[in-house]
């Protein structure tokens, strides 16, 4: 029903905004938990950036494979996004840096 969809959207918005609050404080894990909740509530249909921000939080926590998945989901919705491409490039650079350090 219309009310159910509206309630779902509002819950998604609240989850996303709560994630933003934690992200601004550089509290990556709780921020990501809230972005994941917003994704579960399908808030990406209104604000696809929840995928981008989740990817950023995961990348900051070193969870690169999960971060790549989030960036890829975001790029399906916003293919021209330079932000997602930059996040993916950052992961690649980090991985090659770690690889070069462990080979010495």
């Amino acid at each position: 029903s219309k009310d159910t969809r509206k309630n779902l959207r509002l819950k998604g918005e609240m989850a996303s905004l709560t994630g933003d609050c934690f992200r601004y404080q550089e509290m990556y894990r709780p921020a990501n938990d809230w972005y994941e909740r917003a994704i579960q509530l399908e808030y990406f249909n209104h604000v696809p950036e929840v995928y981008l921000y989740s990817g950023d939080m995961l990348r900051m926590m070193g969870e690169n494979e999960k971060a790549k998945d989030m960036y890829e989901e975001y790029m399906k919705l916003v293919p021209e996004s330079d932000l997602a491409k930059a996040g993916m490039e950052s992961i690649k650079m980090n991985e090659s840096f770690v690889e070069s350090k462990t080979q010495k």
Side-chain angles (χ1 to χ4, degrees), residues 52 56 71 74-75 78-90:
L52 175 69
D56 288 345
Y71 289 138
Y74 180 66
M75 287 193 286
V78 188
E80 70 281 359
S81 171
D82 289 336
L83 294 172
K85 291 173 188 163
M88 293 286 264
E89 188 59 34
S90 177

Side-chain angles (χ1 to χ4, degrees), residues 8-25 27-44 47 49-51 53-55 57-58 61 70:
L8 193 65
R9 186 185 63 75
L10 286 173
K11 286 179 182 179
E13 182 179 16
M14 291 300 111
S16 178
L17 290 171
T18 303
D20 290 347
C21 290
F22 283 111
R23 178 168 55 98
Y24 297 144
Q25 297 176 64
M27 297 173 72
Y28 307 125
R29 181 136 340 260
N32 189 60
D33 291 344
W34 283 101
Y35 290 132
E36 286 181 352
R37 195 164 294 151
I39 290 166
Q40 289 171 345
L41 293 164
E42 299 180 5
Y43 192 59
F44 55 84
V47 179
E49 285 75 17
V50 292
Y51 279 122
Y53 299 148
S54 177
M57 299 305 97
L58 290 162
M61 294 185 295
M70 291 295 125

Side-chain angles (χ1 to χ4, degrees), residues 64-77:
N64 291 338
E65 292 308 311
K66 289 181 185 176
K68 286 179 193 176
D69 292 342
M70 291 295 125
Y71 289 138
E72 287 167 5
E73 288 299 319
Y74 180 66
M75 287 193 286
K76 287 178 191 173
L77 299 170

